[in-house]
Amino acid sequence: MNVTGKQKPEQIERPTSLSVPSSTQSGIALLYNEETNNTYDVCLKLTKEVLTIQKLDVVCTSGSESQVNHRTVVLRRQPTGGLGLSIKGGAEHNVPVVISKIFKDQIADQTGKLFIGDAVLQVNGINVEPCTHEEVVHLLRTAGDEVTITVRYLREVPSFLKLPLGSPGPSTDQRRVSSPLFDSGLHLNRNGNNTAPSPPLPSANEPKYEKRWLDAVSLPLLMARVSRYKAGTDKLRLNCFEVITMEGASPSILQFCSAAECTDWLQAISTNINDLTQENINIINKYCSSDDQIVHMGWARESTEGSAAGGTTAFKFLALRGPYFYIFRNPPISAAHWGQAETTYNLYEVLFKVHKLWMAEDCWLQARLYLGLEHSPEQQDNESLCFSILVGHGQSHTFKVELATDLAIWEKSFQRAVFLEVQRLQSKSYMCSSQGNVLCFNIDFKSGFTCSEGTSKTILWRYKFSQLKGSSDDGKTRVKLLFKSAESKQIEMKELEFANLTAVLHCIHSFIAAKVASMDPLFMCSQNFPGSGNYMNS
């Protein structure tokens, strides 16, 4: 492909830094259980290292508590207002009978010991857990003027408590049939008068209760991952994501009221995960040689072919370390684990490609254009936040990330890792053939391309990187390289055949991209490379 005369792509400025300070925040969310299809309120507390999920519970704040998690309360039915509470649920629907409403200033409210979300366990000593809704209503209505009930607060409130009330307004029809999913307060309270005489003053030793947020689950964020997708699929959850620890633990799915709130929490948690990962990288690199440094590592979802049409995805832990690109099933937490990667590739023979070139650097795009490895930059929306790893023999891996910042970090990290590897390698040779002759094709960072005889090592031709004007290949083994002669200014074609043509083309791309990048002061300064002027001469 001849690239002379092509319009220079518009330069898109890259942010000077992709790092964001670690976030500490708290807020209310819903915890969704896919198995029970139930949601309940939780409080989230995010610190640098841990995401804590808190659940509401009733705790004894003073006095002596006789039974853990159980409270026994005596209600003295009033002539007006009755018991002052409503219930929902019943055994016929496999849900507990739960206090769904407490009327202000009536007897249930004045005890200070009953709360919406309390499951009724006993009525006057009778176990009501196996009872239907109608049976519990009957017990409460006929229990006399003094009713003793034993309750336990449900930390995971059933979803039917969030349903609209079945009775939109007062009614005098006492014969209305009660429903387990509707409030039965009308049956229990006798009338709608909200006034009641003051209860007797509680004794000094009588326990007092209140609702509090209590820690339920603590998720360590080191090597954790977040996902907005249903497990193993490309189906997005609406305003939801889950946090999965390094060990694979995930309590349930976090659900938010709006997309903005969901994104805010997703970004905050991801930022803290990335910061912890970078700290871990810095610690490991202190004890490694300069040729074995970790540039970046983290989670991504690998998509199988046809995943958009209902295929599967799987989380993989990726790492750029030294001369290799690693793919793991689980994070390497010891030195021995680095030798147990699922797949390992030579970095200089890997082509990194962002599916949506929203932050492409000119020098990297230019190198891809030279080799015909880049096509239309316009991609479909469902390919956003994706990148591919093209390797030898036409093989590839496609990965998806959760946020645009994640994609930018991986792109920037690949550029840095490949640049460092080319600097370390300096040159790479491949055996090839041309017209039946065995040749040696060498790519050198300083001098460019050299082709010599396989046995005598006699140099047949040599060109600088800047003389390469295009290339074309048959997609199998043969490639035509088009060079501009320094003397005649004419295009000279060199046709070569390789056993693994894809690997060679990717290696050429890596060297050209590193060469162009080395002459870009902005890139060199952004990467903190020492002596950036040393690469400007060849």
Side-chain angles (χ1 to χ4, degrees):
M1 180 187 71
N2 194 338
V3 297
T4 55
K6 280 191 174 288
Q7 183 178 358
K8 184 178 179 180
E10 181 182 356
Q11 185 171 0
I12 304 174
E13 185 177 356
R14 178 184 297 277
T16 56
S17 175
L18 296 172
S19 62
V20 179
S22 297
S23 176
T24 301
Q25 63 186 58
S26 61
I28 304 298
L30 291 174
L31 199 62
Y32 172 64
N33 189 315
E34 283 185 312
E35 294 181 0
T36 62
N37 199 30
N38 188 29
T39 59
Y40 51 94
D41 292 334
V42 293
C43 180
L44 304 180
K45 287 194 172 182
L46 176 65
T47 64
K48 178 182 177 181
E49 298 179 344
V50 176
L51 174 67
T52 302
I53 299 177
Q54 296 181 319
K55 298 180 182 179
L56 267 178
D57 207 344
V58 173
V59 297
C60 181
T61 58
S62 64
S64 58
E65 187 177 22
S66 58
Q67 289 182 296
V68 178
N69 297 328
H70 290 184
R71 280 164 283 124
T72 298
V73 183
V74 178
L75 298 176
R76 293 175 178 84
R77 196 188 307 271
Q78 303 299 324
T80 56
L83 299 178
L85 56 82
S86 298
I87 61 171
K88 286 182 179 179
E92 69 271 38
H93 286 273
N94 295 317
V95 293
V97 173
V98 178
I99 295 177
S100 58
K101 188 172 183 180
I102 294 177
F103 294 92
K104 185 174 177 59
D105 295 330
Q106 294 193 16
I107 189 64
D109 180 46
Q110 291 170 347
T111 65
K113 300 177 183 178
L114 295 176
F115 301 88
I116 295 175
D118 279 340
V120 181
L121 307 179
Q122 294 181 357
V123 176
N124 285 348
I126 300 174
N127 180 18
V128 299
E129 292 182 272
C131 295
T132 65
H133 180 82
E134 194 62 40
E135 289 171 341
V136 178
V137 170
H138 178 73
L139 274 173
L140 289 171
R141 290 183 64 190
T142 61
D145 289 338
E146 188 171 282
V147 183
T148 302
I149 64 174
T150 301
V151 297
R152 180 186 70 245
Y153 185 74
L154 296 181
R155 300 179 75 181
E156 300 182 10
V157 179
S159 57
F160 66 79
L161 275 181
K162 301 181 178 67
L163 294 176
L165 297 180
S167 178
S171 172
T172 58
D173 184 7
Q174 298 294 316
R175 296 169 297 178
R176 183 175 67 88
V177 177
S178 62
S179 167
L181 298 185
F182 293 139
D183 283 294
S184 296
L186 200 61
H187 297 266
L188 307 178
N189 299 329
R190 295 181 179 170
N191 59 63
N193 193 326
N194 288 336
T195 62
S198 299
L201 293 175
S203 64
N205 293 329
E206 194 171 354
K208 296 180 180 179
Y209 300 89
E210 66 179 40
K211 279 185 178 181
R212 287 184 180 176
W213 290 107
L214 301 180
D215 292 353
V217 181
S218 292
L219 301 175
L221 298 181
L222 179 63
M223 303 291 186
R225 63 185 187 266
V226 293
S227 177
R228 296 172 297 153
Y229 295 85
K230 292 184 178 180
T233 72
D234 271 343
K235 296 180 179 179
L236 270 172
R237 298 187 180 100
L238 181 63
N239 299 341
C240 298
F241 64 85
E242 60 181 324
V243 181
I244 306 164
T245 66
M246 178 171 59
E247 294 79 13
S250 175
S252 277
I253 298 154
L254 296 174
Q255 190 175 45
F256 299 87
C257 296
S258 66
E261 187 179 9
C262 180
T263 301
D264 177 63
W265 273 98
L266 185 67
Q267 289 177 335
I269 295 172
S270 297
T271 296
N272 290 10
I273 291 174
N274 288 336
D275 287 350
L276 289 172
T277 300
Q278 189 57 51
E279 289 182 6
N280 195 37
I281 289 173
N282 295 340
I283 293 172
I284 296 174
N285 285 346
K286 285 183 180 179
Y287 302 96
C288 297
S289 66
S290 59
D291 294 340
D292 195 32
Q293 298 284 294
I294 301 174
V295 174
H296 185 57
M297 59 183 182
W299 290 98
R301 292 186 311 115
E302 183 174 15
S303 302
T304 59
E305 291 186 6
S307 62
T312 60
T313 64
F315 272 101
K316 297 296 174 68
F317 192 83
L318 314 180
L320 297 166
R321 181 175 186 177
Y324 303 114
F325 170 63
Y326 295 86
I327 302 177
F328 295 93
R329 291 186 182 271
N330 298 296
I333 57 176
S334 69
H337 290 157
W338 284 94
Q340 300 172 6
E342 185 179 274
T343 312
T344 305
Y345 296 108
N346 292 321
L347 264 175
Y348 59 87
E349 292 180 342
V350 168
L351 178 65
F352 175 89
K353 182 176 180 180
V354 177
H355 284 212
K356 204 162 191 176
L357 296 174
W358 60 281
M359 289 184 69
E361 287 278 18
D362 274 359
C363 60
W364 303 91
L365 179 60
Q366 182 181 1
R368 290 195 284 266
L369 289 170
Y370 265 123
L371 296 174
L373 298 172
E374 190 58 67
H375 303 289
S376 172
E378 298 298 329
Q379 303 291 338
Q380 296 181 1
D381 289 340
N382 62 0
E383 291 185 340
S384 62
L385 304 185
C386 296
F387 64 88
S388 291
I389 304 299
L390 283 67
V391 295
H393 298 291
Q395 297 177 326
S396 65
H397 299 266
T398 299
F399 299 99
K400 295 187 178 183
V401 293
E402 297 292 329
L403 297 168
T405 51
D406 296 333
L407 185 63
I409 290 172
W410 275 112
E411 183 185 18
K412 188 174 183 179
S413 299
F414 255 95
Q415 293 174 5
R416 177 181 175 86
V418 170
F419 183 89
L420 291 173
E421 176 57 13
V422 170
Q423 294 304 305
R424 184 194 68 83
L425 201 62
Q426 286 296 306
S427 67
K428 175 64 181 176
S429 295
Y430 293 92
M431 299 306 296
C432 62
S433 64
S434 179
Q435 298 179 346
N437 298 318
V438 177
L439 306 176
C440 179
F441 178 72
N442 179 263
I443 312 166
D444 187 272
F445 182 76
K446 294 182 178 178
S447 60
F449 303 102
T450 302
C451 188
S452 59
E453 291 184 352
T455 54
S456 65
K457 307 299 181 183
T458 302
I459 296 177
L460 301 178
W461 47 264
R462 176 183 285 124
Y463 296 97
K464 294 180 179 181
F465 288 122
S466 58
Q467 293 178 267
L468 179 63
K469 299 304 176 182
S471 68
S472 62
D473 61 83
D474 62 359
K476 298 177 182 178
T477 60
R478 297 178 182 272
V479 62
K480 296 178 180 179
L481 300 175
L482 306 177
F483 298 99
K484 185 175 182 179
S485 171
E487 293 79 18
S488 65
K489 308 300 181 182
Q490 299 296 313
I491 296 297
E492 299 176 351
M493 183 187 71
K494 303 297 181 182
E495 185 172 354
L496 302 172
E497 186 171 358
F498 296 89
N500 188 350
L501 177 60
T502 306
V504 177
L505 292 178
H506 292 173
C507 184
I508 294 174
H509 162 263
S510 296
F511 273 73
I512 291 179
K515 189 71 174 181
V516 175
S518 70
M519 295 182 287
D520 182 356
L522 292 177
F523 173 79
M524 299 300 293
C525 292
S526 67
Q527 303 299 314
N528 297 319
F529 292 128
S532 58
N534 296 337
Y535 309 112
M536 304 285 287
N537 300 325
S538 55

